[in-house]
Amino acid sequence: MKKRTLNNLDLTVYEETLPNGLGVYVIPKENGNGIYATFSTNFGSNVEEFGVNGKKKMCKVPLGVAHFLEHQMFEQEDGIDPMKFFEDRGAMTNAYTSNTKTTYLFSGPDHFKENINYLLDFVQNPYMTDETVEKEKGIIIQELGMYENNPYFKLRSGSLLQTFVKHPVRYNIGGTVESVKKTTRDDLYRCYHTFYHPTNMFVVVSGNVDPKETIAIIMNNQDGKEQKEAPKITYKKYSEPDQCKKEFGKIKMDITIPKISLNYKMNISRMKDLDLRKFLIYMDILFNVKFGTTSRFHERMLKEGILTEELDVASVRTDQHIVYMMSAETKYPDLLLNAIKEELESLEIEKEDLERKKRVYWSSYVYMTDNIRAINGKVMGNINTYGYIIDDDYSEIKNLNLKEMKKYLENANFNHCNVFMIEPNCKK
Amino acid sequence: MEYKKYELLPYHLHVIHTEKFKTVTIKVCLKRPLVSEEITIRNLLGNVLLESTEKHPSRRYMGMMTENLYGFSCQMDTYRSGKYMMTTLSASFLDEKYTEPGMLKKSIQFLIEILSCPNVQKGAFDQHSFDICKEGLKAAIESYDENPTRYAKRRLLQSMDENATYACMPCGTLEDLEKITPQSLYEYYESVMKSDLVDIFVCGNVNGEELKNMLLSEFHIKTIKKPGKSHMITHDKYRKRCKITKESRNITQSILMIGCKIDHPTEYERKYVMGLYNHLLGGGGDSRLYQTVREKNSLCYSIYSSASGVDNLLYIQAGIDKDRFKKTTELIRKEMKKIALGDVKEEEIEKYITMYLASCKEIEDSPNDLISLVMAQEYLHNDPLEVKEKEVLKLTKEMVVEFASKVKLDTIYLLEGEMSHEEANAQ
């Protein structure tokens, strides 16, 4: 068991890789009652085509298959719904799928041993029949319908669809009604056997637990299971261009105020000796200084009535690109777009601004340590993205400086962008 | 953990002392009986107070101050709690042990500054801040109905009784907004500070006595107030036959909303049985509605019920296809009837009690939950944690069946989606 202390955060992560390859991470927090446990596979919606054990023929699966599988995992052969199992023990369970992983979880202060064993067991014992798969289609199609009603979801999905040309990140995590309808039990089992091997999965437990005991329980659970050889997975490589698929797109929805997203696509695979993570931190700070509440830009936009709320900046990454999506609701889309572009002509910021943002950036890590879900989220994110835990965010943030920022921001390329907007329907 | 209430004359201070958190959380709650004409001005006031102060004359300066206080986060919420209008200024900041000495005092001073040193000139709020907030509230009112679920809930409540307190537009109206001036807003501010009931809730590693002294010397509200009346809304009219209302809109998924009135529950029913009933009906993944409507019949992705003890209302909400309206509502009615007829197992009650006790333990892990608990004690006369843990053990099957007879189905509202998935994605 390795012990890793998170610098200046009063937290320790205990790590163990089990003989079957499963990664286990435990972050004890003895002064609370709650326990939050997640069991994740590095399999998300970005996997659309893959090869197994060196076979030449790649396997193509319907869009949204990772999300479909997440739904199906709640079907159990003994007919007991995992929801009921956990509720009987005063806990709750849930699951979600992102572009890069699928996570199953429970949260509850009591019966930890039973709960963690059950979480591992239900995710490692799939039970899917043609009937369960058919039944789930109706539910998933309703879920997609719920997202279709949401203008902010449509703004994001429309932006990604016209930013990326080939990479599956351009599609919704849940797929489409058509792809859901054509998903079969075989597709689901194929993905399960490929991506749910312990070598591709990890468990993170945070809260009122003993690390040694927790790792022993999980190890014992895994020891009792049939050990299969890990499949060698080949992921399809996409030759995604730096250009966007479309420069402009719009749809109409039943809304009152137009919504707009300006999307910058940047290549991050050619950074040479620079640390990608640091680049991303500097970019976050840049956007915050330029467009956040304390910016002159924001003040001017409010004064001129162009914005009523802060501009939202979100990002989506693949191995080659990052897209920054700057979105807002505004009655004056053209004025806003011009103002953003103008602001980005200079990437210089003041030292005082950088120091203030560093203070807030670090504080957000301290805030995180009061919340076992947030702690779990940080560890999960680190493992899924980097494969290891970042244990010294403190020094990293403390050492940020203007000179280095300037060097890093030379890699920020704002040449490739597109605009997606949602206009109000005339009919109300 | 230790709770102490200080009954200071102009306001009450509630301190939950604990060394468990690295943060200090504060909520300042101002309340007065709801008057529908005041909803808009009250919303605007909350926004204007947070926009700027005398010392920090714009949102930009306010933002810089919060960043200098190590990410001091604050928000202002204006909402209805039964018969009352509430305005809550919530703040959270790091314990100075993790920042630098003196930060606790500076953070509390800033919080007080937001409420008591507004950006005012010659008896009127600063025009610039006023204009920005007016524009912001206008946009919020205009786009309120963009969210189909929020719209459906509003229309359901109006269909139940358009004159009822619970049917008010939560963020106000454009008509009322146009009438407000920087002067009239300042007059309203003065009346709020003079006559609203004020409670200050604090959770963290703070010394109650020191905090009390700091507030008394810096937060000057001079008026002495009488205790408020009950927040609870009760109903006196019930429909014999359920009302059905349908509207259509250019959206993909249809939203089904059902509203029920609860007929004069006892105190114990409101505090404990209502939660059990809601849990059995549609409160979680193992509930009747989730299992029947979603899992067995694949009619929806999302379905749940929620109960409001202060309004004595129960809602059921689902996203469905419009042509499945009849089947879904039949199933919902059937499940409600089953509970009323006594189809409740002892093990279901035991499960609820287990969950309830577990959630009581988890409350102690969150400063916001601890404050909500004390707020509910203060405003709704709910029980403290140790009483809750004992009282919940008394729940029986007979109680939930008796309560079910008090749940009166009032209105079924459907917001029909006119657009297919294909149309939504063809643009």
Side-chain angles (χ1 to χ4, degrees):
Chain A
M1 184 169 76
K2 265 192 260 170
K3 191 176 159 185
R4 198 189 285 273
T5 306
L6 303 187
N7 189 17
N8 259 317
L9 289 175
D10 301 336
L11 287 177
T12 304
V13 185
Y14 295 84
E15 301 178 41
E16 183 71 69
T17 304
L18 304 187
N20 67 0
L22 181 69
V24 182
Y25 305 86
V26 185
I27 314 102
K29 202 161 185 324
E30 296 88 355
N31 68 350
N33 296 323
I35 300 168
Y36 191 75
T38 55
F39 187 18
S40 307
T41 162
N42 294 308
F43 173 51
S45 64
N46 283 354
V47 179
E48 194 199 3
E49 222 172 325
F50 55 91
V52 183
N53 295 334
K55 280 182 197 161
K56 274 190 182 168
K57 200 181 169 206
M58 297 289 270
C59 172
K60 195 163 182 184
V61 281
L63 291 174
V65 73
H67 173 253
F68 202 129
L69 188 52
E70 171 220 309
H71 273 244
Q72 276 292 282
M73 293 308 297
F74 283 79
E75 294 292 339
Q76 294 293 294
E77 195 170 5
D78 59 11
I80 294 175
D81 191 325
M83 303 258 188
K84 180 171 166 29
F85 180 91
F86 286 107
E87 285 189 8
D88 282 345
R89 285 150 188 83
M92 61 73 72
T93 185
N94 208 343
Y96 59 90
T97 308
S98 72
N99 291 128
T100 56
K101 69 176 170 60
T102 309
T103 296
Y104 302 85
L105 62 94
F106 77 81
S107 157
D110 303 315
H111 308 284
F112 173 65
K113 192 174 175 184
E114 275 178 88
N115 286 344
I116 189 75
N117 272 316
Y118 189 80
L119 178 72
L120 295 163
D121 292 347
F122 101 76
V123 177
Q124 291 185 318
N125 285 301
Y127 175 72
M128 294 177 270
T129 63
D130 289 338
E131 290 75 44
T132 62
V133 172
E134 279 313 305
K135 184 210 83 178
E136 205 62 35
K137 288 181 182 177
I139 298 172
I140 297 174
I141 289 167
Q142 283 305 322
E143 184 180 359
L144 300 183
M146 181 175 83
Y147 302 138
E148 290 294 336
N149 277 1
N150 182 338
Y152 293 98
F153 176 86
K154 294 289 283 180
L155 193 65
R156 182 185 161 94
S157 62
S159 293
L160 288 173
L161 194 64
Q162 68 171 27
T163 299
F164 287 91
V165 180
K166 292 181 176 171
H167 198 283
V169 74
R170 62 194 299 263
Y171 299 112
N172 290 338
I173 288 168
T176 62
V177 171
E178 294 68 36
S179 72
V180 169
K181 280 184 181 164
K182 72 177 187 197
T183 303
T184 64
R185 179 179 167 272
D186 286 350
D187 292 326
L188 297 167
Y189 268 116
R190 188 172 300 130
C191 289
Y192 181 84
H193 291 307
T194 309
F195 299 104
Y196 279 61
H197 189 275
T199 48
N200 195 41
M201 300 185 79
F202 57 96
V203 179
V204 182
V205 182
S206 51
N208 187 17
V209 289
D210 177 83
K212 219 171 157 185
E213 237 174 70
T214 303
I215 290 172
I217 295 168
I218 297 171
M219 194 179 285
N220 198 29
N221 175 290
Q222 296 297 292
D223 280 350
K225 286 177 178 160
E226 187 193 348
Q227 308 292 325
K228 286 181 186 160
E229 203 174 318
K232 288 192 184 72
I233 309 167
T234 323
Y235 293 91
K236 181 175 174 174
K237 296 262 183 242
Y238 297 91
S239 51
E240 175 69 33
D242 292 348
Q243 287 77 19
C244 299
K245 187 173 169 67
K246 266 170 82 180
E247 284 185 1
F248 180 78
K250 68 175 176 184
I251 58 167
K252 290 191 177 204
M253 281 185 86
D254 204 352
I255 55 170
T256 7
I257 302 176
K259 320 233 176 299
I260 189 156
S261 186
L262 171 60
N263 312 304
Y264 285 101
K265 184 181 183 186
M266 295 178 198
N267 193 311
I268 48 170
S269 65
R270 297 190 286 261
M271 300 198 75
K272 293 180 191 158
D273 304 330
L274 297 182
D275 176 354
L276 174 62
R277 250 166 26 78
K278 216 173 232 186
F279 171 74
L280 300 176
I281 295 175
Y282 278 127
M283 287 299 285
D284 274 356
I285 290 179
L286 174 78
F287 283 117
N288 204 314
V289 172
K290 288 275 173 193
F291 304 106
T293 315
T294 56
S295 66
R296 289 206 166 78
F297 168 89
H298 181 62
E299 192 168 56
R300 183 160 63 90
M301 291 298 103
L302 288 178
K303 197 174 171 186
E304 292 174 12
I306 296 171
L307 285 179
T308 53
E309 291 296 333
E310 199 177 331
L311 195 67
D312 183 64
V313 184
S315 64
V316 171
R317 261 175 69 191
T318 66
D319 48 352
Q320 279 188 302
H321 294 91
I322 186 161
V323 51
Y324 287 100
M325 296 181 284
M326 309 172 73
S327 61
E329 65 172 32
T330 177
K331 291 174 184 170
Y332 310 98
D334 291 337
L335 294 177
L336 177 65
L337 289 175
N338 289 336
I340 297 174
K341 287 179 179 173
E342 203 178 288
E343 190 62 30
L344 285 171
E345 279 171 14
S346 158
L347 303 186
E348 299 218 343
I349 67 165
E350 302 289 325
K351 187 171 182 229
E352 185 197 324
D353 286 328
L354 174 65
E355 292 306 317
R356 232 184 29 250
K357 299 296 171 187
K358 278 167 66 177
R359 186 180 267 219
V360 178
Y361 215 97
W362 172 245
S363 302
S364 68
Y365 279 89
V366 185
Y367 277 105
M368 172 197 81
T369 61
D370 265 353
N371 182 325
I372 54 171
R373 286 174 190 232
I375 296 167
N376 199 303
K378 176 208 150 56
V379 174
M380 262 199 295
N382 283 177
I383 300 301
N384 180 237
T385 313
Y386 306 109
Y388 60 90
I389 291 164
I390 294 144
D391 55 11
D392 196 5
D393 294 287
Y394 178 74
S395 303
E396 198 168 70
I397 294 165
K398 200 177 152 208
N399 294 330
L400 298 173
N401 61 76
L402 270 190
K403 196 177 158 201
E404 192 184 59
M405 181 166 184
K406 202 173 169 192
K407 190 174 85 179
Y408 269 85
L409 291 188
E410 281 167 10
N411 288 274
N413 178 344
F414 290 92
N415 291 335
H416 305 295
C417 69
N418 70 78
V419 172
F420 186 75
M421 67 182 290
I422 306 180
E423 287 182 333
N425 263 327
C426 300
K427 186 185 158 194
K428 176 91 209 268
Chain B
M1 195 179 67
E2 195 186 321
Y3 167 65
K4 192 165 179 190
K5 180 176 175 181
Y6 298 85
E7 297 202 359
L8 313 178
L9 292 174
Y11 41 80
H12 294 163
L13 170 65
H14 309 257
V15 179
I16 306 160
H17 177 262
T18 165
E19 291 178 9
K20 206 167 174 176
F21 309 114
K22 291 180 181 164
T23 49
V24 176
T25 306
I26 303 188
K27 275 185 201 284
V28 183
C29 297
L30 301 106
K31 69 169 195 176
R32 63 165 58 186
L34 187 136
V35 178
S36 60
E37 293 74 23
E38 285 182 23
I39 293 174
T40 315
I41 197 165
R42 197 168 176 94
N43 272 283
L44 185 60
L45 177 65
N47 298 350
V48 170
L49 289 175
L50 209 56
E51 180 70 23
S52 63
T53 66
E54 199 182 345
K55 283 190 206 159
H56 299 91
S58 75
R59 201 184 291 186
R60 185 164 162 257
Y61 288 101
M62 294 288 278
M64 285 196 269
M65 182 63 185
T66 61
E67 291 182 350
N68 284 329
L69 293 171
Y70 292 86
F72 174 105
S73 71
C74 60
Q75 66 175 55
M76 192 78 87
D77 296 299
T78 299
Y79 58 98
R80 182 183 62 78
S81 166
K83 292 176 184 166
Y84 273 90
M85 279 191 294
M86 314 288 295
T87 295
T88 304
L89 174 61
S90 314
S92 176
F93 48 90
L94 292 180
D95 184 333
E96 63 183 19
K97 212 161 90 185
Y98 303 93
T99 56
E100 56 182 285
M103 278 293 147
L104 173 71
K105 192 170 181 193
K106 279 189 186 169
S107 300
I108 292 173
Q109 279 172 336
F110 182 55
L111 186 77
I112 295 169
E113 182 188 321
I114 293 169
L115 288 170
S116 48
C117 305
N119 191 4
V120 170
Q121 291 105 30
K122 293 178 191 163
F125 274 100
D126 170 60
Q127 186 74 43
H128 177 64
S129 294
F130 177 86
D131 289 343
I132 287 173
C133 292
K134 188 176 168 184
E135 216 33 57
L137 184 57
K138 190 176 166 199
I141 296 170
E142 283 175 344
S143 60
Y144 187 84
D145 289 341
E146 282 184 357
N147 178 330
T149 308
R150 202 159 62 179
Y151 175 76
K153 175 93 178 271
R154 184 169 79 76
R155 297 291 295 136
L156 168 79
L157 293 171
Q158 284 179 339
S159 297
M160 288 175 79
D161 179 358
E162 62 179 345
N163 298 317
T165 310
Y166 54 75
C168 290
M169 176 76 175
C171 57
T173 64
L174 292 175
E175 224 182 347
D176 286 343
L177 183 65
E178 282 315 311
K179 292 180 208 152
I180 306 169
T181 63
Q183 290 78 11
S184 69
L185 187 65
Y186 184 64
E187 282 162 24
Y188 185 69
Y189 163 78
E190 287 201 304
S191 109
V192 163
M193 297 312 275
K194 198 175 157 193
S195 57
D196 267 29
L197 293 164
V198 182
D199 285 271
I200 302 166
F201 302 89
V202 184
C203 179
N205 188 12
V206 289
N207 179 315
E209 288 297 323
E210 280 177 23
L211 195 62
K212 182 189 85 177
N213 294 333
M214 197 193 302
L215 284 170
L216 285 174
S217 73
E218 312 229 3
F219 191 28
H220 303 292
I221 297 183
K222 292 204 174 71
T223 46
I224 300 165
K225 289 140 191 172
K226 288 179 194 163
K229 290 177 189 161
S230 166
H231 283 229
M232 304 298 166
I233 291 177
T234 50
H235 309 286
D236 46 20
K237 282 183 193 161
Y238 301 93
R239 287 183 210 284
K240 283 186 182 144
R241 298 193 72 178
C242 167
K243 178 180 172 184
I244 297 175
T245 309
K246 287 186 185 179
E247 277 184 286
S248 64
R249 205 169 137 174
N250 203 16
I251 50 174
T252 311
Q253 188 179 57
S254 302
I255 314 284
L256 172 68
M257 286 273 175
I258 298 179
C260 306
K261 290 179 178 170
I262 301 164
D263 186 358
H264 295 87
T266 63
E267 271 292 277
Y268 185 82
E269 283 176 328
R270 179 182 67 78
K271 290 178 188 171
Y272 299 97
V273 191
M274 191 182 285
L276 168 61
Y277 176 85
N278 180 55
H279 177 80
L280 291 177
L281 181 67
D286 192 34
S287 68
R288 312 290 177 102
L289 296 182
Y290 189 92
Q291 287 298 326
T292 307
V293 184
R294 173 179 153 141
E295 292 299 308
K296 292 198 184 93
N297 288 279
S298 297
L299 292 169
C300 62
Y301 166 71
S302 154
I303 182 161
Y304 62 88
S305 62
S306 55
S308 165
V310 70
D311 288 343
N312 276 311
L313 292 175
L314 182 120
Y315 311 100
I316 298 162
Q317 172 180 330
I320 57 169
D321 262 356
K322 63 179 173 187
D323 48 8
R324 292 166 170 185
F325 170 74
K326 195 166 171 253
K327 189 170 179 193
T328 309
T329 48
E330 276 171 8
L331 287 171
I332 292 171
R333 282 176 189 252
K334 211 168 149 186
E335 289 305 320
M336 291 176 77
K337 201 170 174 186
K338 273 162 80 176
I339 299 178
L341 291 173
D343 180 11
V344 177
K345 295 187 191 83
E346 290 298 336
E347 62 181 66
E348 290 181 288
I349 295 170
E350 276 167 34
K351 185 187 81 174
Y352 175 73
I353 294 173
T354 308
M355 289 188 70
Y356 189 92
L357 293 175
S359 72
C360 285
K361 281 188 186 173
E362 287 181 322
I363 284 174
E364 293 176 26
D365 289 350
S366 154
N368 279 314
D369 288 353
L370 283 168
I371 288 181
S372 299
L373 184 82
V374 175
M375 278 173 74
Q377 279 169 235
E378 183 68 20
Y379 294 146
L380 311 176
H381 308 295
N382 282 7
D383 296 323
L385 215 47
E386 58 279 11
V387 177
K388 278 171 175 255
E389 286 168 345
K390 282 182 192 148
E391 288 296 300
V392 75
L393 301 176
K394 297 176 185 163
L395 284 169
T396 63
K397 175 182 163 176
E398 289 68 34
M399 286 177 183
V400 76
V401 173
E402 167 67 21
F403 180 81
S405 71
K406 297 183 177 182
V407 178
K408 313 285 185 194
L409 189 58
D410 187 275
T411 302
I412 298 177
Y413 172 86
L414 181 72
L415 183 62
E416 285 185 343
E418 292 170 339
M419 205 171 9
S420 67
H421 282 279
E422 290 74 22
E423 284 168 321
N425 287 298
Q427 296 187 66

